[in-house]
Amino acid sequence: KNEVEQSPQNLTAQEGEFITINCSYSVGISALHWLQQHPGGGIVSLFMLSSGKKKHGRLIATINIQEKHSSLHITASHPRDSAVYICALHTGNQFYFGTGTSLTVIP
Amino acid sequence: DTEVTQTPKHLVMGMTNKKSLKCEQHMGHRAMYWYKQKAKKPPELMFVYSYEKLSINESVPSRFSPECPNSSLLNLHLHALQPEDSALYLCASSQVWGANQPQHFGDGTRLSIL
């Protein structure tokens, strides 16, 4: 049983498209993180959410605590957005990772 | 550039070798983490250090031995590894260990066991 489910697993988009990646979870959380991992391996923390919505540049993250669901949106996608996007949960002292969404943006 | 520095970036070693991975941060963070990540899989937590003390060991085999000599440094000593231990090893840190703390990740060490 996965505490965190992401969809889609793989996503290909044309440059400029609006992209949505979804994360559903089944446990109570204190915070949800969206992470970005480029092919080289390093992971960058994009957002940490416990409620509502956050925006940073072309990225928007939302969370609905009641529905146990979060979304990551990318507006005006660009090839440099190509990466794996990972949803991760904080529950007390546990940290659960989703399996990731591999995004490819084609010029 | 990341604020968490891992060395080496790549490591190839035989099953009888002893080597160490190093992780360093100068953000004043008091929690540091080791993760193992296999290809196309999410990271798996191995160890958590909080205030230089081992707080979590996720049933990791004893051929992996962590060490936290001070609040800025985290090492992972490797001995008698198996081919299945080939993976990307990620280090991360956060201000303290617990909820609502973003983790800062290094770029990882890509380890290959021959």
Side-chain angles (χ1 to χ4, degrees), chain A residues 32 49 65 70 92:
Chain A
L32 182 145
L49 293 163
I65 298 292
S70 175

Side-chain angles (χ1 to χ4, degrees), chain A residues 30-33 35 37 39-45 48-50 86 90-95 97-100, chain B residues 2 33 35 37 40-45 56 58 88 90 97-108 110:
Chain A
S30 51
L32 182 145
H33 300 254
L35 310 172
Q37 186 171 32
I43 291 178
V44 175
S45 180
M48 184 179 71
L49 293 163
S50 52
I86 303 170
H90 250 139
T91 67
N93 288 328
Q94 291 287 333
F95 203 65
F97 290 89
T99 52
Chain B
T2 62
Y33 312 80
Y35 292 90
Q37 187 178 25
K40 300 191 186 300
K41 298 287 187 185
E44 299 172 15
L45 183 65
I56 287 184
E58 291 285 3
L88 179 69
L90 291 159
W97 177 44
N100 297 354
Q101 294 289 329
Q103 293 189 14
H104 298 249
F105 287 84
D107 288 336
R110 197 162 296 280

Side-chain angles (χ1 to χ4, degrees), chain B residues 22-99:
Chain B
K22 182 178 171 182
C23 175
E24 195 166 359
Q25 57 86 15
H26 295 287
M27 295 178 282
H29 290 176
R30 302 313 296 270
M32 295 186 78
Y33 312 80
W34 279 116
Y35 292 90
K36 173 183 177 180
Q37 187 178 25
K38 301 286 276 185
K40 300 191 186 300
K41 298 287 187 185
E44 299 172 15
L45 183 65
M46 299 174 73
F47 302 105
V48 178
Y49 271 84
S50 176
Y51 289 89
E52 295 93 70
K53 289 190 172 16
L54 184 63
S55 299
I56 287 184
N57 176 341
E58 291 285 3
S59 303
V60 179
S62 60
R63 57 186 185 268
F64 295 92
S65 175
E67 178 198 17
C68 190
N70 60 57
S71 60
S72 300
L73 275 176
L74 185 66
N75 298 319
L76 187 62
H77 302 297
L78 315 173
H79 174 55
L81 294 195
Q82 304 296 309
E84 62 265 27
D85 297 323
S86 297
L88 179 69
Y89 288 84
L90 291 159
C91 174
S93 70
S94 62
Q95 279 193 335
V96 292
W97 177 44

Side-chain angles (χ1 to χ4, degrees), chain A residues 16-31:
Chain A
E17 282 186 13
F18 180 84
I19 287 162
T20 296
I21 299 170
N22 295 300
C23 175
S24 296
Y25 53 93
S26 57
V27 295
I29 68 167
S30 51

Side-chain angles (χ1 to χ4, degrees), chain A residues 10 15 17 19 27 35 38 42 45 54 59 61 66 91 95 97 102-104:
Chain A
N10 296 285
E15 182 173 357
E17 282 186 13
I19 287 162
V27 295
L35 310 172
H38 280 282
S45 180
K54 287 191 177 179
L59 302 178
Q66 287 73 29
T91 67
F95 203 65
F97 290 89
S102 179
L103 171 66
T104 302

Side-chain angles (χ1 to χ4, degrees), chain A residues 66-83:
Chain A
Q66 287 73 29
E67 295 186 4
K68 290 186 164 61
H69 182 269
S70 175
S71 293
L72 176 68
H73 306 285
I74 304 176
T75 60
S77 59
H78 190 276
R80 64 175 174 266
D81 297 326
S82 298

